[in-house]
Amino acid sequence: MTKVAILGFGVVGSGVAEVITQNGASIAEKTAQALELKYILDVRDFPDSPFADKIIKDFAIIEGDPEVDVVVETIGGAKVALDFTRRALAAGKSVVSSNKELVAQHGHELLELAKANGVSYLFEASVGGGIPILHPLSQCLTANKLSEVRGILNGTTNYILTHMIGTGLSFEEALKEAQARGYAEHDPTADVEGLDACRKICILASIAFGRHVYPNQVPTKGITQVTLADVSYANAAGMKVKLLGRALRQGDKVMAYVAPHLVRDANPLAGVEDVFNAITVRGNAIGDVMFYGRGAGKLPTASAVVADVIDASQHRKTSRYLSWSEGGEDYVLGTETLKSQWFLRLNSSLKELECLGNVMPLGRPGAPEEEVGVITEAMTQVELEKRLGGRTPLSVIRVLDESADLA
Ligand code: HSE
């Protein structure tokens, strides 16, 4: 019997309680590990919850209870959650987390602490919600030299973009719907400004390339400046606008960033809709492999958390597979040297854009006469700015390059 404590009874924490309780018998049958939920820590009261008798407010009770083997941290943020995670690991308890902010900022330190205490720190649910990605990346693909990890890493923004494209909803309307469905972060700024995707690409890059990549090293742009006009030009050209996180190996360094991209319809990432996420990993033996599924939501995320709880309970008093080294100030490169084609929307004439070199003009229904949309040839951002010579486009979006050779 493995006794579990959940920290934080929000969307994910309550989903974990439900999955452990409702699927308890089948989990015990399949894994020979019975799970028992002993405590739920939260500052709030939940008198009407079926779990009301498990709610406590003092973390020291969990910390000091030798019966608790696994602590599930679904508090979020990097303050209280950091303190409780350190204390739980130091007390010899494995910790399972869905908290991408904490892992992206303190993953290396917490993994080392887990190892020093002979327990596990597992966080499959922190990237891609219910999609198994961290385990395959750190185990099943180890034989490969990986060259890139790229993906749609945020369900809320993908939901918004899908509904802007499909039903012409405004950004605000689509965001409200995503929040009502429980996909968005407590503060949706983290979703729409790309911070959530940034944290996730940091975790993926750290596992894929073996050294910690920190959020402040990753240039990040969200979708707040993407307009219905951009989406419409992209559609007319057989492309979709998608928010992508990318991490690319560059010799012994890494380049990582988050930004909206135009993705050609032929690329499977273009067909990833609503709250679904997808992550493509490129390795020199396997080529491209793609992971797809529900990237947010109560039960999909709880599914990944409970799988980690089972894993930790099956490997008590030993540290499970995850680890990476410390990063470093000069480890992560900026995107200045990354060439791509660019989508530009400008108030200009095509004639005035000869300075850009060869461009492919695009059209969209209802475009104002003075507006043009074009796709440039491949060049770096520095080169693009030089050629624009001080002109400020209404929109500038990278086009995803699919032709890059395998490493
Ligand atoms: N707010 C996140 C998203 C939740 O929309 O993807 C899952 O990490």
Side-chain angles (χ1 to χ4, degrees):
M1 172 73 70
T2 298
K3 303 216 179 188
V4 180
I6 298 174
L7 313 182
F9 198 48
V11 173
V12 179
S14 59
V16 172
E18 270 177 44
V19 171
I20 287 180
T21 311
Q22 286 170 15
N23 296 353
S26 73
I27 291 170
E29 198 181 328
K30 276 191 288 194
T31 66
Q33 288 293 323
L35 304 180
E36 184 189 315
L37 181 55
K38 185 159 187 190
Y39 304 111
I40 298 171
L41 181 85
D42 204 291
V43 288
R44 300 163 293 179
D45 289 312
F46 298 88
D48 302 327
S49 163
F51 300 103
D53 61 325
K54 311 231 180 266
I55 305 275
I56 59 167
K57 296 188 188 306
D58 183 2
F59 177 71
I61 295 172
I62 295 169
E63 188 181 23
D65 185 340
E67 279 192 359
V68 174
D69 299 302
V70 182
V71 172
V72 172
E73 186 272 297
T74 55
I75 300 173
K79 290 187 180 133
V80 180
L82 174 60
D83 179 39
F84 289 173
T85 301
R86 282 179 178 151
R87 286 166 59 185
L89 292 170
K93 301 173 191 312
S94 287
V95 176
V96 170
S97 178
S98 62
N99 184 342
K100 48 253 158 167
E101 184 176 351
L102 188 62
V103 180
Q105 198 57 49
H106 297 280
H108 172 64
E109 174 208 323
L110 294 171
L111 284 166
E112 291 295 301
L113 187 58
K115 208 186 288 175
N117 285 282
V119 290
S120 300
Y121 182 50
L122 301 174
F123 36 84
E124 181 62 66
S126 66
V127 180
I131 308 172
I133 171 64
L134 303 190
H135 195 137
L137 191 59
S138 56
Q139 296 232 286
C140 317
L141 297 173
T142 323
N144 286 265
K145 184 170 182 199
L146 302 178
S147 56
E148 179 174 347
V149 182
R150 63 166 68 150
I152 295 172
L153 303 173
N154 182 267
T156 301
T157 46
N158 204 47
Y159 186 93
I160 292 171
L161 289 170
T162 304
H163 287 263
M164 285 173 75
I165 295 163
T167 44
L169 283 189
S170 72
F171 173 83
E172 288 78 15
E173 288 165 334
L175 172 59
K176 271 203 192 111
E177 275 195 16
Q179 284 175 305
R181 287 164 184 257
Y183 301 148
E185 295 302 301
H186 183 60
D187 173 2
T189 318
D191 295 300
V192 298
E193 298 290 2
L195 304 178
D196 180 75
C198 168
R199 291 164 185 152
K200 291 167 178 168
I201 199 65
C202 287
I203 298 169
L204 290 168
S206 302
I207 295 177
F209 305 124
R211 292 181 63 188
H212 198 121
V213 172
Y214 289 91
N216 66 359
Q217 298 176 307
V218 176
T220 297
K221 194 171 163 192
I223 63 162
T224 50
Q225 287 159 29
V226 174
T227 65
L228 281 173
D230 302 327
V231 162
S232 177
Y233 274 117
N235 261 0
M239 302 188 198
K240 296 285 177 294
V241 181
K242 293 290 179 192
L243 182 68
L244 299 185
R246 293 181 77 189
L248 303 98
R249 183 192 287 279
Q250 307 276 297
D252 58 359
K253 297 186 192 265
V254 64
M255 180 187 285
Y257 72 99
V258 173
H261 287 72
L262 262 61
V263 181
R264 291 180 176 81
D265 281 343
N267 186 313
L269 288 174
V272 176
E273 299 198 325
D274 281 320
V275 73
F276 284 84
N277 285 190
I279 298 131
T280 304
V281 180
R282 181 167 285 186
N284 62 346
I286 196 166
D288 284 355
V289 57
M290 184 162 156
F291 301 83
Y292 169 85
R294 287 183 190 278
K298 178 175 170 173
L299 294 178
T301 310
S303 153
V305 171
V306 178
D308 274 349
V309 171
I310 295 164
D311 194 0
S313 72
Q314 286 175 325
H315 298 89
R316 272 185 235 186
K317 304 297 167 210
T318 161
S319 274
R320 290 294 281 151
Y321 52 90
L322 281 170
S323 77
W324 60 70
S325 319
E326 184 53 292
E329 261 175 39
D330 58 354
Y331 173 55
V332 186
L333 303 173
T335 52
E336 298 81 13
T337 55
L338 182 65
K339 274 190 180 178
S340 61
Q341 293 180 282
W342 298 87
F343 162 75
L344 307 176
R345 186 167 65 87
L346 311 96
N347 282 332
S348 176
S349 68
L350 275 176
K351 179 115 194 71
E352 285 170 336
L353 296 183
E354 276 170 3
C355 54
L356 288 173
N358 287 329
V359 294
M360 180 172 84
L362 308 179
R364 72 168 174 108
E369 212 162 279
E370 66 280 8
E371 183 187 89
V372 288
V374 296
I375 290 183
T376 70
E377 52 198 2
M379 64 187 92
T380 64
Q381 185 163 359
V382 176
E383 177 65 19
L384 176 69
E385 279 162 15
K386 199 166 100 193
R387 292 199 199 177
L388 280 167
R391 284 184 192 79
T392 313
L394 301 167
S395 304
V396 181
I397 304 178
R398 269 186 203 274
V399 178
L400 182 65
D401 172 23
E402 284 146 277
S403 62
D405 292 334
L406 296 183

